[in-house]
Each structure stands twice: as structure tokens, then as C-alpha cells.
Amino acid sequence: MKLVSLGRIRAMIAKEFRQILRDRATLAIIAAMPLVLMLLFGYAINSNPRKLPTALVTHDSGEMTRSFLSAMQNTDFFKIVLITQNAEEASALMRGGVAQFIVEFPSGFERDLLKGESPEILLSIDATDPSSSVSAPSALETAFKQAYARDGRGAGLKIKSDFTLVTHSRYNPQVATNYQIVPGLMGLLLTLMTILLTSIAMTRERERGTMENLLASPIAPFEVMIGKIAPYLIVAYLQAAMILSMARGLFDLPPVPRPGELFIAATLLMVANLGIGFTISTVARNQLQAMQMTYLFFLPSLLLSGFMFPFYGMPAWAQILGEVFPLTHFLRIVRGLWLKEASLADFGLDITAMGGFLIVSAAIAMWKYKRTLD
């Protein structure tokens, strides 16, 4: 017998290709993975964000104020989501993650310009996401300078002074990146581990031949689902506690002002993702397929959630798709509860979206599990 036979190698290669072609689930993942990544990185991910949501607080209705507002609305960097005279109303939008910036014009802004007193314009930045706020001061000042040259001295208003742009980084005065990364890591790890562990648990039953015993037993599908999910829910709680402890001890992040509300939000995230993991486990034939399907769900969730790239800097279609994933809503909630001293009441839409995802994922999981009873 030859030590190395090209014929036997060709036979093994042909055998492996036949197995791949017969495995439709693996074929679908092989085709979908590069397509999803190319679309996301090619179209959705933008390291130079545009149309970032901005709230305007104006206590002056003069001609120059209106000119400055028009300049902001015409820029590609800012998207005006609110114009108000109430600073607290704008702050509420920032706490809830709806507004990235707040621009405030003082009372008597134009009068001070005419008198030569150099009034201050306040730019408040949500610094819990430093990556999207680096270019904001320069973009705002450029827009205002153009309006100032066009409608100020150039329009014959006889303005005697320039304005001063004052920048205030809220919730993260040092603009430290760990304020963005560490809270997001909690949602990231809870998402990955709950889906992965649950999906593998059920496929392991099938591979070991114990699934038949479960299907033949009088236990209901809902009871199987709860029994499989509960242990991993407890493991996820332990992971969350570890992350909170390490955040305080290693990265010097502040304590969570409302830990009970964070516990509720984390539970909603974990249960929603456990439903996805259970659904994957009813579709996958083995643990390898379960892992592949997990990452096929996890990667878009990671890229479109706002963890790595500014959420509001993505195209509108990518934002709509990102709103589907529970991680997107949890990131807003955890940063708000942890760093902005917000409450769950500030995130009603995000809680509703996560609850809706939970109901849909649980329904699909039950439906797919029932099909295995036939």
C-alpha cells in the first residue's frame, strides 16, 4: 500500500464536497456570511458619520439666530430633531439617547453681537459615544462662520464682535473610551453567550441521542424551553455581576445609580436572546451549525447596534435594520442608566422594542419546537 495516494486524496476531496453540497444549512451560511459582511461594511458602516441627531435650544429669535439655525439645518453633519426654548426637554432627549448634541443660543444673542460683547453658544455633546463627537465642534463652527460672513457683516447688520463656541462633554468629561466600551461589553457578552450556550445545549441533546427521550416524555415544549433557558440565565447574571465588578475595580467607572432597573433591562435582553438561541437549536442539526447560525445573527447585531460605530451615522436603512436587534436598545439603556443617571422611564420605546422581540422570538421557538414533535 502506498504511503501517499493521489487517488485516495481525490476520493476524500470528492466525498467532502458531496457532504457540503448535501448540507443545505451549511451551504446557506457559506453564501450568506460574505454577503452580509460585504453589505454591512460596504454600505452601512461609516467612520465619518453624518446626519447626527441634534436638539436646538434657542432663547433668541433675532435674524442672526435664524441664520445660524438655517446653517445647521443645511449641513450634512447635524440633523435637527427638536427646536425648543426648554433646555430640560432637550436634555431628556440626550438622556434617552435620541439626541447626540444640544446647541443652545443665549437670550439676547443678536443684541450682544451688535453691542460687541461676544456671546457664547453652548455645544453639549453626549460623550458616552466619543467616536461620533470628535468632528462636531469644527463642523458647527464652520457652519456658523459661513452664516456669520453671509448674514452678519456681509448683510450690513454692523455686527461689532464675533461669537464664542463653548463645548461641554456630558456624562464623560475626560472623553474616555472605556465609558463607551465597558457598558457596551455587558450587552455584547450577554448576547453572545446566551445565544451560543442555548443553541448548543439543544443540538447536543440531538447529537447524543437524548432528544428522542425528551420528545417521548410528557414534558411540554414550553417546559423544555424554560428548563433549558433557566441555567444559562443564571450563568448570564453571574457574568453581568463580574462585568460590573471589573468595571469599578479595573476601569474606575461610576457605580450604577439604579441597579434594579439595569437588572430588569439585562433580564429582558437575556430572555429575548435565549429565545433566539432556542430557535437556532431547533433548526441546527449539530453543534457546528448552531455556532455558525449564532455568529450569523451576532455579527449584524454587533455591527448595527452602535457598539463599534456611531448608530446615527449609518444610512437610514441600516438604522431600521439595527432597531430590530435587542442589543441596539440595550446599549442605549445601559449607557443611560449607568452614565447619565437616567431611568427606565426615559427608554419606553426601547423597552417596548425589546419586549416585542422577546414575544416574537419565543413564539418562533415554540413553533419550531412543536414541528419537531411530528
Side-chain angles (χ1 to χ4, degrees):
M1 181 177 179
K2 297 180 180 179
L3 293 178
V4 178
S5 170
L6 293 179
R8 292 196 296 267
I9 293 175
R10 283 195 299 268
M12 283 299 303
I13 292 174
K15 169 186 173 296
E16 288 302 313
F17 268 114
R18 282 196 297 269
Q19 287 186 340
I20 292 174
L21 294 175
R22 290 171 182 171
D23 191 344
R24 295 183 179 180
T26 301
L27 273 178
I29 293 170
I30 291 173
M33 187 66 75
L35 177 63
V36 168
L37 292 179
M38 287 296 292
L39 289 176
L40 292 181
F41 278 99
Y43 291 104
I45 305 306
N46 184 7
S47 59
N48 188 21
R50 289 290 184 267
K51 303 295 183 183
L52 298 178
T54 305
L56 295 178
V57 180
T58 174
H59 306 287
D60 185 275
S61 57
E63 182 178 341
M64 278 308 302
T65 303
R66 294 194 299 271
S67 177
F68 280 20
L69 298 186
S70 176
M72 284 193 63
Q73 290 171 328
N74 292 332
T75 183
D76 285 335
F77 194 88
F78 301 98
K79 177 183 178 182
I80 308 303
V81 295
L82 175 70
I83 300 178
T84 180
Q85 294 182 348
N86 187 346
E88 179 53 36
E89 185 179 359
S91 295
L93 288 186
M94 182 172 282
R95 282 197 305 271
V98 178
Q100 185 72 36
F101 308 106
I102 299 175
V103 179
E104 185 170 356
F105 292 90
S107 178
F109 173 71
E110 185 172 305
R111 179 198 62 209
D112 292 340
L113 284 175
L114 293 171
K115 291 170 62 177
E117 295 183 2
S118 186
E120 294 181 345
I121 299 174
L122 177 62
L123 169 63
S124 297
I125 299 173
D126 182 357
T128 58
D129 186 4
S131 60
S132 64
S133 55
V134 175
S135 304
S138 60
L140 186 63
E141 190 158 4
T142 298
F144 284 174
K145 291 289 186 183
Q146 293 173 351
Y148 185 76
R150 183 184 66 246
D151 299 327
R153 292 177 178 141
L157 289 179
K158 298 181 180 179
I159 291 177
K160 298 179 181 179
S161 66
D162 204 345
F163 63 90
T164 301
L165 182 64
V166 178
T167 302
H168 176 213
S169 298
R170 291 192 183 182
Y171 317 120
N172 182 11
Q174 294 81 23
V175 197
T177 54
N178 56 2
Y179 274 60
Q180 174 194 15
I181 298 298
V182 175
L185 277 176
M186 175 182 289
L188 199 69
L189 291 175
L190 293 181
T191 296
L192 177 60
M193 297 309 296
T194 49
I195 297 177
L196 185 62
L197 292 177
T198 309
S199 62
I200 289 178
M202 289 296 290
T203 52
R204 185 167 57 238
E205 297 273 7
R206 186 177 291 108
E207 286 185 339
R208 292 178 177 177
T210 55
M211 177 61 74
E212 290 80 0
N213 297 333
L214 278 179
L215 298 179
S217 68
I219 188 170
F222 180 76
E223 295 168 339
V224 174
M225 186 175 179
I226 295 298
K228 283 292 182 182
I229 283 177
Y232 301 108
L233 193 61
I234 296 173
V235 170
Y237 283 134
L238 294 176
Q239 287 183 327
M242 289 176 58
I243 293 170
L244 290 173
S245 300
M246 294 174 65
R248 289 286 293 152
L250 299 180
F251 301 103
D252 198 28
L253 262 69
V256 180
R258 294 180 173 87
E261 295 188 2
L262 181 59
F263 172 83
I264 294 172
T267 300
L268 196 55
L269 172 74
M270 291 185 291
V271 175
N273 287 324
L274 286 168
I276 289 295
F278 194 88
T279 301
I280 291 174
S281 70
T282 61
V283 176
R285 297 180 180 178
N286 51 60
Q287 295 183 58
L288 176 60
Q289 282 188 4
M291 293 180 62
Q292 291 172 333
M293 293 179 185
T294 296
Y295 285 109
L296 189 60
F297 175 86
F298 176 73
L299 283 176
S301 180
L302 167 65
L303 296 174
L304 298 178
S305 64
F307 175 78
M308 296 180 62
F309 307 96
F311 179 82
Y312 292 112
M314 297 186 298
W317 65 267
Q319 293 183 34
I320 294 173
L321 184 59
E323 295 284 358
V324 174
F325 299 105
L327 180 60
T328 302
H329 304 282
F330 181 77
L331 289 184
R332 294 178 191 148
I333 294 172
V334 69
R335 288 169 179 167
L337 295 179
W338 199 337
L339 304 174
K340 303 179 184 180
E341 297 187 1
S343 66
L344 283 181
D346 295 311
F347 302 98
L349 292 178
D350 294 296
I351 293 294
T352 302
M354 292 175 68
F357 187 92
L358 167 60
I359 293 172
V360 172
S361 64
I364 294 176
M366 295 303 301
W367 173 64
K368 294 299 295 181
Y369 184 79
K370 286 180 179 179
R371 288 186 63 183
T372 60
L373 295 176
D374 296 335

